[in-house]
Amino acid sequence: MIYKNVMEALDWASSFLVDNGREETAARIVMQHILGSTYAGVMLHLQDTLSVEQSKQFVALIEEHANGRPVQYCVGSEEFYGRTFLVDESVLIPRPETEELVLGTVNRINKLFHDKSLKLADIGTGSGAIAISMKLECPEVVVVATDLSEEALATAKKNAQMLAADVDFRLGDLTMPLAEEKFDIVLSNPPYIAFDEAQEMSTIVLEHEPHSALFAEEDGLILYRKLAEQLPALMNKPSLIGLEIGYTQGDQVAKFFKDSFPQATVTVEKDINGKPRMIFCEIHV
């Protein structure tokens, strides 16, 4: 199929995606990719002519998404905190909820730390979205990022290079690559889905996103427990720990950190949808 202009192609794609049980917004994402444009740019050029090659590429990507591949993997990127990050099947697709972890951390930095040089670790960095965003939002902070996956780190390094972010990437499990060092801020969005929740999840997610970045033992809590056990040896005073959590896990994860940091202020924060989605542990002097 060859479509003459942007509007004609979008109309077809929207109907085709809905008929195949997909979100029609994916049509706009693919068109932005094809045209190398923003949403506003696409809307301003609906009557523009598509080349035969552009039309063929658009149809191919829409059909690929309709067949079940996440649209972000189809186009090879996702927006996060106002920036474009490369993504592929080696990394979890960054979610909007995780932007709130970055925002919450940035807002707390000035309150907790006064004119101090800071060192931050992002544990389980995946695409590098958290680490790179923090470095670009707070350039004076030294940022270290770890991951267990060599493939994920390769993607994260590409993103850091593309976005000109100076991040120290290290391969290893949880805090292992950080041993013998001290940090002022530790952030993590670890795998937190219980294995028995898989049946409730989208097949698009299950069939394409890395399971090692999604699922965790002990009903999804094992990595929070391990972090709570391992982080006391790494934290300066004052310091800050910020974690993304599953919306049913707030009380359990908060208890892990209250037990490990008895003098700290541990709070469960809600996301923009009103669901408990973040834990912040403020460790005082």
Side-chain angles (χ1 to χ4, degrees), residues 4 14 16 69 74 78 86 92 114 139 165 200 226 237 264:
K4 293 180 180 178
S14 297
F16 180 75
R69 193 180 186 207
C74 293
E78 174 63 314
L86 302 174
L92 202 66
H114 304 288
E200 303 166 20
K226 288 185 174 182
K237 291 184 179 181

Side-chain angles (χ1 to χ4, degrees), residues 17 45 60 62 71 102 116 126 136 154 161 203 231-232 241 243 263:
L17 289 169
H45 296 91
I62 291 295
V71 66
V102 172
K116 179 189 174 191
L136 295 175
Q161 184 175 16
T203 55
L231 286 179
I241 299 168
L243 306 162
Q263 307 305 316

Side-chain angles (χ1 to χ4, degrees), residues 8 20 36 57 59 72 91 97 100 105 115 119 133-134 154 163 169 207 215 241 245 253 262-263:
E8 187 178 288
N20 283 274
Q57 188 181 5
V59 170
Q72 295 89 345
V91 298
E97 307 92 87
E100 298 186 56
T105 303
D115 299 322
K119 192 170 182 180
S133 297
M134 287 303 307
L163 294 166
F169 292 102
E207 291 175 6
F215 297 103
I241 299 168
I245 59 170
V253 177
Q263 307 305 316

Side-chain angles (χ1 to χ4, degrees), residues 119-125 142-150 152-153 156-157 167-183 234:
K119 192 170 182 180
L120 178 153
D122 173 27
I123 297 175
T125 195
V142 174
V143 178
V144 178
T146 74
D147 206 284
L148 190 59
S149 164
E150 290 187 40
L153 282 180
K157 287 175 182 177
V167 176
D168 177 5
F169 292 102
R170 302 179 188 176
L171 179 67
D173 189 21
L174 291 181
T175 64
M176 187 266 291
L178 310 175
E180 311 303 322
E181 294 180 61
K182 293 284 188 178
F183 292 85
L234 274 65

